[in-house]
Amino acid sequence: MQFGVNYVPRKNWFYSWNALDKKAIEEDYEAIAGIGLDHIRIFPLWHIIQPNPALISPQAIDDLLYVIDAAHAKGLRVTVDIFQGHLSSFDFLPSWVLSWHKRNIFTDPFVIQAQEKLIRTLAKECAHRDMIDGLSLGNEIIQFAADRHPHKMDLSIEQAEKWLDGHRRIAKEEFPHGEFTFSYDDDLLFDSQQPFTPELALRYSDSITIHSWIFGIVGPHWGKDHEVLGYFTRYLLEIVNAWQKELGVNKSLWLQEVGAPRNYLSAGSVVPFVEKTIIQASQIPNLNRITWWCSHDVSRKLSDFPEVEYDLGLFTEHGEIKPEGEWIRDWIHAGCPKETHSPKEKIFIDIPSVHDYHLRHELRADGHIFKQWVDAINHGCEPELRVRR
Amino acid sequence: MQFGVNYVPRKNWFYSWNALDKKAIEEDYEAIAGIGLDHIRIFPLWHIIQPNPALISPQAIDDLLYVIDAAHAKGLRVTVDIFQGHLSSFDFLPSWVLSWHKRNIFTDPFVIQAQEKLIRTLAKECAHRDMIDGLSLGNEIIQFAADRHPHKMDLSIEQAEKWLDGHRRIAKEEFPHGEFTFSYDDDLLFDSQQPFTPELALRYSDSITIHSWIFGIVGPHWGKDHEVLGYFTRYLLEIVNAWQKELGVNKSLWLQEVGAPRNYLSAGSVVPFVEKTIIQASQIPNLNRITWWCSHDVSRKLSDFPEVEYDLGLFTEHGEIKPEGEWIRDWIHAGCPKETHSPKEKIFIDIPSVHDYHLRHELRADGHIFKQWVDAINHGCEPELRVRR
């Protein structure tokens, strides 16, 4: 198992892209590598790296390469997420797609051309660096096409596919040995209106990414500290595998984001949740990478983050390791042990086909499928999700 | 007459705030000072200087102070415009007032508190620097409350006054000897729905700023190269003075932005327009500062600017002086000579009271008042705008 973190700079969060503090970054990496983590995912801000459609900031590229090379120096592998886009409740679209320049970031040919330019530039730079695993496309960028977004952009499934396919081609042209992934949130699995469908994600991503957040539906529905919360990540992974099976593919899974949000976990529940989440997820044979969200707490000196976003680090804002960081450190040091199980009775649970994207809501954690699945586990059985015929 | 420019960095436009090129800036200043200009107005981008409500970027402050001190070194005085906000068609609001964090930048107490923090910080820094004339509040920021804005923020006149008054107080507390101005566009004079009214601008600004752009109404209505275009600036100044007279004040006028947009001026009309605009404006006795828009053309390597924005510099994107720059240089070297007139017949033209803000549209350059005023000039008379009783 590869285990890493989404790197949130301890000093000045992602605002640090405007004014890199190299010493602080190196200290952060020291801490990250020091507990046995082997990779990071990093997030250049789109409006800083490409302030104008025709300008990819040389300074921002230099900064990005520094952030990569400094990670390398500590033995950390890196995935670069290309478009942010969105981070921790804040949207960071460049001025040339907003307001008077309002443009659809998925369909406007002018925007797509500019995005291609950025992907090509980053892919070229990354292709020369051994410690880069690959490029990931847009942190939870699908939310800009979600009904829940305050400025939703219209998008059809066909257009979503064109966008994803086109950008993947560019990345592969310049960085053929790099892994190309697509960084969607769980709307992809649960929102029947979301034009990015599971099928697209499975087809156009080299490994399949999962973002597992209990504050979305499972926490609000089942309640704080509920025992089911620790099963949620495994459930997501099993859904994806059921669909892979349906399509006859078996790509590896990357748990690209998972964290322990305090709005649904009391202090005493955090470590048990982390343990349960990781141990349950580890049962999935093709899961080979976990990237915790996140490395460092957001400084309390910064304001306006949703309360839950402040406390997601494995380290505090002062760089001290937190109990969940200690648990993960110890688990990695022990060789990422999995639980061994005696054989159990299998219970099959039907889920909608990957092609029935309009039925995705049935899979939500407040629905009957999740409940059946959890009940099976609680009854000592082995549930298996399978696509209904 | 003080004559200066709105400083648009030749290299990378205002994106340069992300990655200052000190040598390029010094070259720009050399050129600006070299043609006899004595001041600049500068535009830190709000989202860079205050990426989080609680974070005023030390790097951005250092950069700003460098830009100021380097101007000083070339003998240029400086006004710092506080909130951008808006520049050349692009909006640059910080992420913490957009999208999921959508907030009204004029009325939300949280935003106002953050703005006060920025104003206080900048005013404190500026107060120690002799070459700083003062602070100006928000380049054309009133557009965010204009009906024409794509994401208009609701605002009453009372709220607009509170915002302006509060921010002025903060600036004055920290920088009492600094000039405090308010950088509105001509919606203030012509848009009857605009909650920022002329009365507020006259009351809360130490000198009265005017932005004179022929591409708004006068150009589209009267046509490219029309002789009235060169009178437009003087008309704006005279409106303001008529209202000053009504209120019994006589503040000095600052023509804070004026330029020669090519969409309403053929190549051969540019210099005659510049000359006429400046000579006509110079007749206004309390006009003591002109700040041309702008110093340098926007590089053609940058995309997505409205065509008109590329060619507004006194210098090309390569730093060569343009014909309008030469005319201004020569006029300054000649001591800013005004035309002498023999006494003419006065014609009084009635305009709405400053209190009748709902009648501002009557003053638009496509209305009868402007036509009467121009006709009087064309008939060799001296028109005087006066408030009707």
Side-chain angles (χ1 to χ4, degrees):
Chain A
M1 182 74 75
Q2 300 160 46
F3 209 113
V5 275
N6 291 283
Y7 175 45
V8 171
R10 177 173 49 95
K11 187 162 171 194
N12 289 344
W13 194 65
F14 298 110
Y15 309 128
S16 56
W17 286 114
N18 264 324
L20 230 53
D21 184 327
K22 297 184 174 182
K23 187 166 164 287
I25 290 170
E26 285 163 25
E27 286 168 5
D28 291 349
Y29 286 164
E30 188 76 38
I32 291 167
I35 61 169
L37 300 175
D38 57 17
H39 70 271
I40 59 172
R41 176 171 166 239
I42 61 171
F43 305 87
L45 299 184
W46 188 9
H47 71 295
I48 294 176
I49 205 162
Q50 193 172 28
N52 180 273
L55 176 66
I56 297 186
S57 162
Q59 177 69 55
I61 294 288
D62 283 354
D63 287 349
L64 177 65
L65 296 178
Y66 169 79
V67 166
I68 291 167
D69 292 341
H72 184 168
K74 301 285 184 224
L76 295 166
R77 300 189 63 79
V78 179
T79 294
V80 180
D81 209 303
I82 300 183
F83 298 111
Q84 281 65 239
H86 178 87
L87 285 164
S88 304
S89 85
F90 295 100
D91 286 349
F92 291 104
L93 296 182
S95 60
W96 46 274
V97 304
L98 293 174
S99 186
W100 302 103
H101 293 252
K102 183 75 183 163
R103 291 188 172 104
N104 186 311
I105 63 170
F106 301 110
T107 61
D108 187 297
F110 181 80
V111 178
I112 290 172
Q113 198 181 17
Q115 289 171 336
E116 287 176 352
K117 187 181 157 89
L118 180 59
I119 294 170
R120 200 175 287 284
T121 303
L122 294 184
K124 263 186 188 151
E125 291 289 353
C126 290
H128 301 300
R129 285 174 156 75
D130 284 346
M131 294 294 276
I132 299 188
D133 283 323
L135 296 171
S136 203
L137 186 61
N139 183 48
E140 302 192 351
I141 199 165
I142 71 171
Q143 70 164 269
F144 290 107
D147 281 347
R148 63 191 174 94
H149 196 274
H151 308 291
K152 181 197 169 187
M153 297 176 189
D154 289 335
L155 186 67
S156 69
I157 293 174
E158 293 68 30
Q159 289 168 324
E161 176 162 18
K162 193 175 165 200
W163 184 80
L164 199 47
D165 182 29
H167 285 354
R168 183 177 191 279
R169 279 173 205 271
I170 303 281
K172 285 289 179 187
E173 269 173 43
E174 302 294 344
F175 188 15
H177 55 290
E179 178 189 51
F180 179 86
T181 47
F182 172 37
S183 310
Y184 44 83
D185 58 50
D186 71 9
D187 278 357
L188 185 114
L189 307 184
F190 299 138
D191 176 2
S192 293
Q193 308 306 318
Q194 173 53 247
F196 285 98
T197 64
E199 202 172 349
L200 295 184
L202 294 177
R203 186 175 308 146
Y204 294 105
S205 202
D206 291 343
S207 50
I208 310 305
T209 60
I210 292 293
H211 291 196
S212 176
W213 287 109
I214 59 169
F215 51 57
I217 291 170
V218 67
H221 180 75
W222 291 83
K224 191 168 184 169
D225 297 330
H226 196 283
E227 52 149 13
V228 308
L229 304 184
Y231 291 118
F232 182 63
T233 299
R234 177 180 151 199
Y235 175 67
L236 296 170
L237 299 167
E238 293 199 0
I239 292 171
V240 169
N241 273 347
W243 283 334
Q244 290 214 80
K245 199 167 177 187
E246 181 185 12
L247 293 173
V249 291
N250 186 22
K251 294 183 178 179
S252 54
L253 304 184
W254 176 9
L255 181 51
Q256 195 182 40
E257 286 188 19
V258 59
R262 301 308 198 260
N263 49 353
Y264 291 100
L265 297 168
S266 310
S269 305
V270 170
V271 169
F273 167 82
V274 171
E275 175 172 359
K276 190 168 178 180
T277 293
I278 291 174
I279 295 298
Q280 287 289 323
S282 315
Q283 295 186 29
I284 311 296
N286 57 334
L287 174 71
N288 60 14
R289 199 175 345 163
I290 298 176
T291 312
W292 201 257
W293 188 284
C294 58
S295 62
H296 290 80
D297 284 350
V298 175
S299 169
R300 290 277 168 189
K301 285 186 192 153
L302 297 175
S303 67
D304 205 31
F305 286 78
E307 177 57 31
V308 66
E309 297 286 346
Y310 284 99
D311 287 317
L312 295 169
L314 298 181
F315 299 93
T316 68
E317 60 171 300
H318 306 295
E320 296 124 8
I321 193 164
K322 291 162 66 183
E324 56 264 55
E326 290 175 325
W327 188 89
I328 288 171
R329 176 196 64 198
D330 296 344
W331 186 70
I332 293 169
H333 285 180
C336 305
K338 301 178 184 187
E339 271 183 0
T340 51
H341 296 285
S342 44
K344 290 176 187 166
E345 185 198 350
K346 263 210 172 158
I347 291 189
F348 292 96
I349 298 170
D350 286 349
I351 67 167
S353 159
V354 70
H355 307 300
D356 290 336
Y357 48 82
H358 58 288
L359 299 179
R360 281 175 280 181
H361 59 277
E362 291 185 16
L363 288 158
R364 289 163 43 126
D366 55 0
H368 66 98
I369 292 173
F370 180 68
K371 186 167 185 313
Q372 269 184 282
W373 183 84
V374 166
D375 285 348
I377 293 172
N378 286 336
H379 289 99
C381 302
E382 180 72 20
E384 184 175 326
L385 300 176
R386 66 175 179 193
V387 167
R388 65 177 168 243
R389 313 248 161 220
Chain B
M1 182 74 74
Q2 300 160 46
F3 208 113
V5 275
N6 290 282
Y7 175 45
V8 171
R10 178 173 49 95
K11 188 163 173 195
N12 289 343
W13 192 64
F14 297 110
Y15 309 129
S16 56
W17 286 114
N18 265 323
L20 231 51
D21 184 327
K22 295 185 177 183
K23 187 166 162 290
I25 291 170
E26 284 163 25
E27 287 167 5
D28 291 349
Y29 287 165
E30 188 76 38
I32 292 167
I35 61 168
L37 300 174
D38 58 16
H39 70 271
I40 58 171
R41 176 169 165 239
I42 62 172
F43 305 88
L45 299 184
W46 188 10
H47 71 295
I48 293 176
I49 205 162
Q50 193 171 29
N52 180 273
L55 176 64
I56 297 185
S57 162
Q59 176 69 54
I61 294 288
D62 283 354
D63 287 349
L64 178 65
L65 296 178
Y66 168 79
V67 167
I68 292 167
D69 292 342
H72 184 168
K74 300 285 185 222
L76 294 166
R77 300 189 64 79
V78 179
T79 294
V80 179
D81 209 302
I82 300 182
F83 299 111
Q84 283 65 240
H86 179 86
L87 285 164
S88 304
S89 85
F90 295 100
D91 285 349
F92 291 105
L93 296 182
S95 61
W96 46 275
V97 304
L98 293 174
S99 186
W100 302 103
H101 293 252
K102 183 75 184 161
R103 293 189 170 104
N104 186 310
I105 63 169
F106 302 109
T107 60
D108 187 296
F110 182 79
V111 178
I112 290 171
Q113 199 180 16
Q115 290 171 334
E116 287 176 352
K117 186 180 158 87
L118 181 58
I119 295 170
R120 200 176 285 285
T121 303
L122 294 184
K124 262 187 189 152
E125 291 289 353
C126 291
H128 301 300
R129 285 173 157 77
D130 284 345
M131 294 295 277
I132 299 188
D133 283 322
L135 296 171
S136 202
L137 185 62
N139 183 48
E140 302 193 351
I141 199 164
I142 70 170
Q143 70 165 268
F144 291 106
D147 282 346
R148 64 190 173 93
H149 196 275
H151 308 291
K152 181 198 169 186
M153 299 178 188
D154 290 334
L155 186 67
S156 68
I157 294 174
E158 294 66 32
Q159 288 169 324
E161 176 163 18
K162 193 175 165 200
W163 184 80
L164 198 48
D165 182 30
H167 285 354
R168 183 177 192 279
R169 279 173 206 271
I170 304 282
K172 286 289 179 187
E173 269 173 43
E174 301 295 344
F175 189 14
H177 56 291
E179 178 188 51
F180 179 86
T181 47
F182 172 37
S183 309
Y184 42 85
D185 58 48
D186 71 8
D187 279 357
L188 184 114
L189 308 184
F190 299 138
D191 176 1
S192 294
Q193 308 305 318
Q194 172 55 248
F196 285 99
T197 63
E199 202 172 348
L200 295 184
L202 294 176
R203 187 176 307 146
Y204 293 106
S205 201
D206 291 343
S207 50
I208 309 305
T209 61
I210 291 292
H211 291 196
S212 176
W213 288 109
I214 59 169
F215 52 56
I217 291 168
V218 69
H221 181 75
W222 292 81
K224 192 168 184 171
D225 297 330
H226 196 284
E227 52 148 14
V228 308
L229 304 183
Y231 291 119
F232 182 62
T233 299
R234 176 179 152 200
Y235 175 67
L236 296 170
L237 299 168
E238 291 199 1
I239 293 170
V240 170
N241 271 349
W243 284 334
Q244 289 215 80
K245 199 168 175 186
E246 181 185 13
L247 293 174
V249 290
N250 187 23
K251 294 183 179 180
S252 54
L253 304 185
W254 176 11
L255 180 52
Q256 196 182 40
E257 286 187 19
V258 59
R262 301 308 197 261
N263 49 354
Y264 291 101
L265 297 169
S266 308
S269 305
V270 171
V271 170
F273 167 82
V274 171
E275 174 172 358
K276 189 168 178 178
T277 294
I278 292 174
I279 295 298
Q280 288 288 322
S282 314
Q283 295 185 29
I284 311 297
N286 57 334
L287 174 71
N288 60 14
R289 197 174 347 162
I290 299 175
T291 311
W292 200 258
W293 188 283
C294 59
S295 62
H296 291 79
D297 284 351
V298 174
S299 169
R300 290 277 167 185
K301 285 186 193 154
L302 297 175
S303 67
D304 205 30
F305 286 79
E307 177 57 31
V308 65
E309 298 285 347
Y310 284 99
D311 287 317
L312 295 169
L314 297 181
F315 299 93
T316 69
E317 59 170 302
H318 307 295
E320 297 123 7
I321 192 164
K322 289 163 66 184
E324 56 264 54
E326 290 175 325
W327 189 90
I328 288 171
R329 175 195 65 198
D330 295 344
W331 186 71
I332 294 169
H333 286 179
C336 305
K338 299 179 184 185
E339 272 183 359
T340 50
H341 295 284
S342 45
K344 290 176 188 164
E345 187 197 346
K346 264 212 171 157
I347 292 189
F348 291 96
I349 299 170
D350 285 349
I351 67 167
S353 159
V354 71
H355 307 299
D356 290 335
Y357 49 81
H358 58 288
L359 299 178
R360 281 176 281 181
H361 59 278
E362 292 184 16
L363 287 158
R364 288 164 45 126
D366 55 0
H368 66 97
I369 293 174
F370 181 66
K371 186 166 185 316
Q372 269 185 281
W373 182 82
V374 167
D375 286 347
I377 292 173
N378 285 336
H379 288 99
C381 302
E382 179 72 22
E384 184 174 326
L385 300 175
R386 67 176 179 191
V387 167
R388 65 177 170 240
R389 315 239 164 230

